[in-house]
Amino acid sequence: MNSFSLILTDRDFDKLANLAKEIWHEHYSDILSFEQIAYMLESFQSKSAFRKQTGDGYEYYFINDNSKNAGYIGLQKCPGYLFLSKLYIKKESRGKGLGRKAIDFAIQKAKETGYDRVVLTVNKENTGSVAVYEKLGFKKTDSIVTDIGAGFVMDDYVYTYFMSSV
């Protein structure tokens, strides 16, 4: 059975940070340098970063598969749209439809909030994820390069899911 559980406690944030480390090292080692992965994990995917982001209006959920944490999703309410900040699934849990369920979950959250779109960013080299987002109805709406400090940048596409495309 698949479900989503809101992350609220310190223990949950510890589990989330460990899950992020595992997923990032298995998924991004072919796309980003070890140094950039380490920097991004500490800056954006650590317990303290998740806590700060939660204080800034982000919500994090574990993606559960048969009562195990198979991944996580991060959502932020922005003026006019829901930002799908993070969607990561462990390698052994990919290909089971969890990504589609997570996208459906984000779309439902957007509808509940009265938004007509979900926006996300994805690394341009992350071709597998790009293909999944396009298959699920997201449209490429921009291309951005963001300086994240320490000499690193995020070279991303912006994708938007418009509710009218349902």
Side-chain angles (χ1 to χ4, degrees), residues 13 48-60 76:
F13 281 102
S48 61
F50 289 132
R51 274 285 192 205
K52 180 183 181 317
Q53 293 160 8
T54 300
D56 293 338
Y58 285 76
E59 290 183 347
Y60 287 98
Q76 182 189 31

Side-chain angles (χ1 to χ4, degrees), residues 60-115:
Y60 287 98
Y61 297 85
F62 285 119
I63 301 169
N64 303 304
D65 183 31
N66 294 318
S67 303
K68 292 183 182 177
N69 294 331
Y72 61 102
I73 186 171
L75 306 171
Q76 182 189 31
K77 295 173 187 168
C78 294
Y81 63 93
L82 185 70
F83 181 53
L84 174 52
S85 170
K86 297 169 181 71
L87 171 53
Y88 300 103
I89 298 172
K90 290 169 69 167
K91 187 174 188 172
E92 72 238 20
S93 297
R94 293 184 202 136
K96 296 180 173 184
L98 296 177
R100 173 181 289 280
K101 288 177 182 166
I103 294 294
D104 290 345
F105 178 78
I107 290 168
Q108 184 58 42
K109 287 286 186 185
K111 288 177 182 176
E112 289 170 8
T113 312
Y115 292 137

Side-chain angles (χ1 to χ4, degrees), residues 33-49:
S33 69
F34 178 84
E35 293 78 15
Q36 184 165 351
I37 292 170
Y39 177 79
M40 291 182 74
L41 281 169
E42 183 57 36
S43 299
F44 307 110
Q45 308 277 337
S46 64
K47 179 180 179 179
S48 61

